[in-house]
Amino acid sequence: MTSDINAPAEILASIGGADNVENLTHCATRLRFQLHDNSGIDEKQVESIPGVMGAVSQSGNRYQVVIGGAVESVYNDIMALPEMKEGGSATGTQKSGSNADVKSAAKEKGPRGRFTWLDSFFDFLGDSFRPILGSLLGASLIITFMALMGTLGVIGNWADPRTELSPTWQFINLCWRCVFYFLPLMVAYNASKKLGADPWIGFAVMAVVMLPGFTSLGQYATHLTFAGSEINVVRLFGGHLPLTIFDYGSQVFPPLLMAAVLGPLYKLLKKIISPNVQLIFVPFLSMLIMIPLTAFLIGPLGVYAGAGLANGLKAVNDFSPFIFAILIPMLYPFMVPLGLHWPLNAIMLLNIQTLGFDFIQGPMGAWNFACFGATAGVLFLSVRDRDVTMRQTATGALAAGLLGGISEPSLYGIHLRFKRIYPRILVGCFLGGLVQGIGGGLTTNAFVFTSLLTIPAFSNIPLYAISIAVAFFSSMLLVVFFDYRTADERAEAAKVRATEDADQAAEEARKASAEAHKAELRADDAEARADQAEQRAATTTVAAERAAQVATAVAPARTALAPNAVTQIASPVAGYVVPLDKVPDPVFAKGTVGLGVGIDPTGDTITSPGDGKIIVAQDTGHAFGIKLDNGIELLIHVGIDTVNLGGTGFDVHVARGDRVTTGDVLVRFDRKVIESAGYSMITPVLVTNPRKFASVTQAPATLSSALVAPGDTIITVTAKPPKDGAAAAPGTPPAPAHRSAAQAVAAGDSKAGASASTEAPGSSVGGASVGGSPAPGSTVPGVSAHGVSAHGDAQASPQGTGTADGARRAATTAGAADSSGSAAASGAAPGSALVAGAVTEIGSPVAGRVVALSDVPDPVFSKGIVGLGVGIDPTGDTITSPGDGKIIVAQDTGHAFGIKLDNGIELLIHVGIDTVNLGGTGFDVHVARGDRVTTGDVLVRFDRKVIESAGYSMITPVLVTNPRKFASVTQAAQGAVTPGEGIITVTAKQ
């Protein structure tokens, strides 16, 4: 792809240009476009672009272009195009439909979207309270503890001021009272800041009326009756100005009104006073005006306004607690998205101050738990459907709700995005309110957040617990049984998951193919060295020894791979060791990426644990891959999901391809930035090539003391034992079981070297001809002439003469035997399907009817994006291995298997279409990743009735996933076939 410099521009032009791109991201193999309009795209034109493996159009103006392993470089090339920088709106960090976007859209649908002043008013209310929600939540939990102690009879009625508490309990009581008593000061600060005034001036103005000296003026007051309430008035300045004395503790309306006046006044004074003296006179004049104005006018007005609203709601509750208990939870789902609930919070606080109790929070709890129940239903479905993104969103939202009583994460993160959820929530709100109404209503003596932890704070605990349980489970069950998505959304989600599963299987096969290719390159290198050694051996032994020195000095010693070697991996950062299964991300915790440990950092710098080369260095700074010189490959992933920060909080010190030594700085990070965004700092440190070793374990020292410093051992890597079972010499690998020509000559055994590199025309090698005419009657399954022995032994005819070509084949064969292990006994020579001109047939893994690949009902398969082959509509219920090889992919769900056959062909068998959604139901898996299988071994048994009753197709793609290594991969059969009957013909290149 990257070889064609015009390809990125062609891709962009084919999907409508930069102006049509709303957002562009990429995954492991695909470009993911969010377009303004995808209706006019010519799919054939897109797929004809060099390097494009396929294209998939999706609903919601989404479009995917399949690139393969080069996707990152293509993405970078597209983002670097001038039209993307100038006119495009796509960025890798832009998120369509963020919580803020959803919130804004919800506001626009209500009156706030039509009247700017109304929107500003509710923003003012929200920003006055939002910063102090943490302190209110903390105080509410202390209140809950006091209520629980009162319920259990440990203390008396703590909410009654006439109750005498011991000094200890009085102190605990003060821990929450301080927050509510000084609430006017907190609100004054936030409200003044919101309106552009100096927040400390607002704080000081409100503090005047809260001083004990202000309240003590009441001893000089006369008692008057106003609007049915008795008030205390002190006449000041010769009796001409009446000052009303109130206890302003816990009041919220007076500081709001005060800030509403202070904001414009402060801005006016800054305009008319010279900048040179603003520091002195703006605060002075603001306080000179606002302190008396607040004490004489604004403060009393705020008290009366709050009392009026509270009395109105109290009248409704007094008239019918039943109606009130249903009305409030039914209104809250519409009030919260618009921000209209903030005035009710202020009234709750006022009720507690004036009445000694509040009657709004009980019905509000029914709304909250109906909301949390719907979130729990979404979480259940996301776990069942393996929707990782939604599962993460729902888990965080549910925890915030049940433990903190906060509904916004659920509301903006999930509910407002899916229109089918709200009717289910309203049913829960109604039923929860109905239970409370039948029970006569609820009250609480304190302001609390309605969560599981605050249940003891309510007057009738059993009634409240039953009502919120009814609200929670009714909403949850409705979401579980009737889903929260439309049929199209469910189908789209299933399609995306199936595509990702196919991508994963293809990526696994690609990696295995890449490893095989590397082995071939190493074998080619060994051939070249064998030629050099053979030529030099003909002159002098000294020349052979020099050749051996050159051969052994090509690369750093991979000491960690030496048989029985034990290698310690050091910590890249100071912190606490976390066992891998405790890392809060299942992809890491299950060892999918690699084996190792997590580190909860106490430091802020990630360093290299050893000498090696950087093979992965994300621009975002969140992940680094290092190929150590000792043969170990490491991944260091800084935090969980920190890629979403787009590099914010990270200072990267290295780039891909850099050489590093132990202790070199890879990245520095800002922990506060990362944690304030809500992401875990736990940093997985993983060995990503664990299959090359006998074991990768957490270092024993960290089991007793989890705190480590940079350089302390955290992982122990133990190499595999010698293949021939002989004991390895300490610190040195044993002699290999097979020796190439180069190895033989380097060891001084010229005879062995000649033997390992000699052939005769027509000589027999494992029953196949080598270099000449086939031996009479010789056969190798699936291999034509020029095959090799499965044991890798080149057997020369006594009449033969040595040739360089023979040496190369012998060295290659020996290398293949070393790398394939037990494959030597498989009955087919390793790599035999790759022998020039070889024709190999692949047998069917199951009885059934052959379906042409183009007719498989999934475009990812039918277009050959994953690989080439056929589909099978099974009549049997057992999938077996079509040949001898190794399992490289084995999904726990039983729906997909990847096999690397000994003959060099890599297969993917995908049982049914979209069957991953069943989560393993109907599948009985018989193998695991890494297992050796032979022809006919059972991979999985399945229940066709279960799969088809769930609405999924049983057509099973059987695909060669490394088709580029062959001249052709074609369908070999039609109609009905039995297990083992040829269905695919693979022809090797000449």
Side-chain angles (χ1 to χ4, degrees):
M1 180 72 202
T2 55
S3 62
D4 190 336
I5 60 174
N6 295 320
E10 291 179 16
I11 292 174
L12 186 61
S14 69
I15 51 93
D19 291 338
N20 193 34
V21 179
E22 180 179 329
N23 187 32
L24 169 61
T25 58
H26 71 86
C27 61
T29 58
R30 288 169 289 170
L31 296 170
R32 297 173 178 266
F33 289 93
Q34 179 67 49
L35 304 176
H36 296 295
D37 181 13
N38 69 352
S39 59
I41 297 177
D42 186 343
E43 193 167 302
K44 292 184 178 179
Q45 177 188 349
V46 177
E47 293 179 339
S48 67
I49 298 172
V52 173
M53 299 170 64
V56 181
S57 180
Q58 298 178 305
S59 63
N61 287 324
R62 289 176 293 167
Y63 201 81
Q64 297 182 4
V65 179
V66 184
I67 302 296
V71 65
E72 183 175 359
S73 61
V74 176
Y75 168 83
N76 292 333
D77 290 343
I78 291 177
M79 296 304 296
L81 293 172
E83 54 265 46
M84 287 296 288
K85 292 182 177 179
E86 295 170 5
S89 60
T91 69
T93 58
Q94 178 181 340
K95 292 183 179 180
S96 174
S98 66
N99 284 1
D101 297 333
V102 175
K103 189 174 184 178
S104 176
K107 290 178 180 178
E108 291 173 1
K109 294 179 182 177
R112 293 179 64 175
R114 295 191 293 272
F115 304 102
T116 303
W117 66 268
L118 189 62
D119 188 51
S120 299
F121 171 69
F122 282 106
D123 277 344
F124 165 65
L125 287 179
D127 289 343
S128 298
F129 285 98
R130 194 173 292 110
I132 59 177
L133 288 181
S135 59
L136 291 174
L137 176 58
S140 73
L141 295 182
I142 299 175
I143 292 170
T144 301
F145 173 72
M146 294 291 293
L148 181 61
M149 294 299 100
T151 302
L152 297 176
V154 177
I155 58 176
N157 184 2
W158 59 279
D160 188 343
R162 297 169 297 179
T163 301
E164 288 289 337
L165 298 175
S166 68
T168 299
W169 288 105
Q170 287 185 41
F171 174 78
I172 296 174
N173 212 31
L174 291 176
C175 291
W176 70 265
R177 289 181 61 84
C178 66
V179 174
F180 290 96
Y181 183 79
F182 292 111
L183 189 61
L185 300 179
M186 302 179 193
V187 173
Y189 180 94
N190 292 328
S192 301
K193 183 178 180 180
K194 173 65 178 177
L195 295 180
D198 186 337
W200 289 112
I201 293 177
F203 184 97
V205 170
M206 202 64 213
V208 171
V209 297
M210 295 191 66
L211 286 170
F214 180 85
T215 307
S216 67
L217 291 175
Q219 62 183 314
Y220 307 109
T222 57
H223 300 288
L224 299 177
T225 301
F226 177 78
S229 301
E230 286 194 359
I231 58 174
N232 297 324
V233 177
V234 178
R235 298 192 177 275
L236 305 181
F237 303 104
H240 299 292
L241 287 177
L243 176 64
T244 306
I245 305 298
F246 288 106
D247 180 3
Y248 285 95
S250 302
Q251 291 281 351
V252 292
F253 284 95
L256 290 172
L257 293 177
M258 179 276 299
V261 178
L262 174 62
L265 174 64
Y266 190 85
K267 294 175 182 177
L268 175 63
L269 292 175
K270 291 195 72 172
K271 286 183 179 179
I272 62 177
I273 295 176
S274 170
N276 295 329
V277 293
Q278 283 183 1
L279 182 62
I280 300 173
F281 289 103
V282 171
F284 168 69
L285 293 176
S286 296
M287 294 175 69
L288 184 65
I289 296 170
M290 290 305 303
I291 288 175
L293 189 61
T294 300
F296 284 95
L297 182 62
I298 294 177
L301 284 178
V303 172
Y304 297 142
L309 290 173
N311 288 335
L313 287 174
K314 185 175 183 300
V316 176
N317 188 59
D318 290 343
F319 172 74
S320 176
F322 180 84
I323 294 177
F324 190 84
I326 296 176
L327 182 64
I328 290 295
M330 294 294 288
L331 290 176
Y332 251 89
F334 306 99
M335 296 171 66
V336 175
L338 301 175
L340 302 177
H341 62 303
W342 291 110
L344 285 185
N345 290 343
I347 293 173
M348 294 174 198
L349 293 165
L350 187 63
N351 285 340
I352 293 168
Q353 187 202 29
T354 57
L355 303 176
F357 64 89
D358 175 59
F359 47 83
I360 302 175
Q361 294 175 73
M364 184 185 73
W367 136 251
N368 263 358
F369 276 88
C371 174
F372 306 152
T375 303
V378 171
L379 176 60
F380 175 88
L381 293 177
S382 66
V383 171
R384 186 193 69 183
D385 296 343
R386 297 192 301 111
D387 186 340
V388 176
T389 302
M390 183 56 73
R391 184 177 73 235
Q392 292 173 344
T393 301
T395 300
L398 186 60
L402 294 180
L403 301 179
I406 301 172
S407 61
E408 279 80 356
S410 293
L411 193 64
Y412 300 125
I414 304 172
H415 301 167
L416 291 176
R417 300 174 189 266
F418 299 94
K419 62 184 180 181
R420 291 167 59 91
I421 291 184
Y422 249 59
R424 289 133 175 80
I425 293 177
L426 289 174
V427 172
C429 291
F430 174 80
L431 294 177
L434 180 65
V435 171
Q436 290 188 20
I438 293 173
L442 290 162
T443 62
T444 179
N445 296 321
F447 182 85
V448 294
F449 286 65
T450 49
S451 69
L452 289 176
L453 303 179
T454 58
I455 291 176
F458 289 87
S459 57
N460 189 336
I461 295 176
L463 175 62
Y464 180 68
I466 293 172
S467 68
I468 62 175
V470 169
F472 181 91
F473 287 107
S474 57
S475 294
M476 175 183 173
L477 293 175
L478 285 172
V479 170
V480 169
F481 287 124
F482 298 102
D483 213 302
Y484 62 97
R485 299 158 296 186
T486 63
D488 288 343
E489 288 170 339
R490 290 196 299 272
E492 183 61 34
K495 179 69 70 178
V496 169
R497 287 193 300 275
T499 303
E500 290 174 348
D501 283 339
D503 281 350
Q504 180 184 356
E507 183 66 13
E508 291 284 352
R510 185 194 66 77
K511 288 179 179 178
S513 176
E515 287 295 328
H517 181 61
K518 289 178 183 178
E520 291 172 11
L521 292 178
R522 288 194 294 270
D524 290 342
D525 187 52
E527 291 176 29
R529 290 198 298 271
D531 287 344
Q532 295 173 1
E534 185 178 5
Q535 294 167 5
R536 293 171 184 172
T539 56
T540 65
T541 303
V542 174
E545 291 175 351
R546 289 177 182 173
Q549 292 171 357
V550 171
T552 56
V554 171
R558 304 174 73 185
T559 56
L561 294 168
N564 295 331
V566 177
T567 307
Q568 310 290 352
I569 296 175
S571 177
V573 64
Y576 292 89
V577 176
V578 178
L580 186 60
D581 60 355
K582 303 299 182 185
V583 172
D585 187 319
V587 174
F588 296 124
K590 294 180 180 178
T592 305
V593 177
L595 301 179
V597 299
I599 301 288
D600 190 356
T602 56
D604 63 356
T605 303
I606 302 294
T607 60
S608 176
D611 300 349
K613 182 179 179 181
I614 300 295
I615 56 176
V616 175
Q618 298 289 349
D619 294 338
T620 53
H622 77 284
F624 298 87
I626 310 174
K627 187 173 185 179
L628 299 180
D629 292 341
N630 60 17
I632 295 172
E633 297 175 11
L634 286 181
L635 172 68
I636 303 173
H637 197 284
V638 188
I640 303 300
D641 292 335
T642 46
V643 62
N644 298 330
L645 292 171
T648 303
F650 292 88
D651 180 17
V652 181
H653 285 243
V654 294
R656 183 176 178 180
D658 286 354
R659 283 285 306 170
V660 290
T661 58
T662 304
D664 283 355
V665 175
L666 306 182
V667 66
R668 300 185 193 277
F669 56 87
D670 189 332
R671 187 183 187 109
K672 290 183 179 179
V673 170
I674 297 170
E675 291 187 332
S676 64
Y679 298 109
S680 169
M681 271 307 310
I682 292 179
T683 297
V685 182
L686 307 173
V687 175
T688 57
N689 58 341
R691 283 188 242 169
K692 290 190 175 182
F693 303 96
S695 67
V696 177
T697 58
Q698 181 177 339
T702 64
L703 299 176
S704 58
S705 177
L707 182 61
V708 293
D712 288 354
T713 299
I714 56 173
I715 301 172
T716 299
V717 180
T718 304
K720 295 180 179 179
K723 292 183 179 179
D724 60 2
T732 60
H738 301 277
R739 294 195 299 171
S740 67
Q743 291 169 326
V745 173
D749 186 356
S750 60
K751 181 178 179 180
S755 174
S757 57
T758 306
E759 65 177 27
S763 62
S764 175
V765 180
S769 172
V770 179
S773 304
S778 64
T779 59
V780 176
V783 185
S784 64
H786 310 290
V788 294
S789 167
H791 294 282
D793 299 325
Q795 301 173 1
S797 168
Q799 295 84 8
T801 57
T803 66
D805 185 62
R808 281 194 296 272
R809 268 196 294 274
T812 303
T813 305
D818 285 340
S819 62
S820 63
S822 61
S826 65
S832 59
L834 295 164
V835 174
V839 178
T840 307
E841 278 202 344
I842 298 172
S844 177
V846 63
R849 182 179 59 85
V850 176
V851 177
L853 185 61
S854 59
D855 293 332
V856 172
D858 187 315
V860 174
F861 296 124
S862 62
K863 293 180 180 180
I865 295 173
V866 176
L868 301 179
V870 299
I872 299 291
D873 191 356
T875 54
D877 63 356
T878 303
I879 302 294
T880 60
S881 176
D884 301 351
K886 183 178 180 182
I887 300 294
I888 57 174
V889 176
Q891 299 287 348
D892 295 338
T893 53
H895 76 285
F897 298 87
I899 310 174
K900 185 175 182 181
L901 298 179
D902 294 338
N903 58 19
I905 296 173
E906 295 169 13
L907 286 181
L908 171 66
I909 303 173
H910 197 285
V911 188
I913 303 298
D914 292 338
T915 47
V916 61
N917 300 328
L918 293 170
T921 303
F923 291 89
D924 179 19
V925 181
H926 285 243
V927 294
R929 183 176 176 179
D931 286 356
R932 285 281 311 167
V933 291
T934 58
T935 304
D937 283 355
V938 175
L939 306 182
V940 65
R941 300 186 192 278
F942 57 88
D943 189 329
R944 187 183 185 108
K945 290 183 179 178
V946 170
I947 297 171
E948 291 186 332
S949 65
Y952 298 110
S953 168
M954 272 307 309
I955 292 179
T956 297
V958 182
L959 308 173
V960 175
T961 57
N962 59 341
R964 295 184 188 177
K965 289 193 172 184
F966 303 97
S968 65
V969 177
T970 57
Q971 181 175 334
Q974 295 181 347
V977 292
T978 57
E981 187 174 344
I983 55 173
I984 302 172
T985 299
V986 180
T987 304
K989 296 178 180 179
Q990 292 293 341

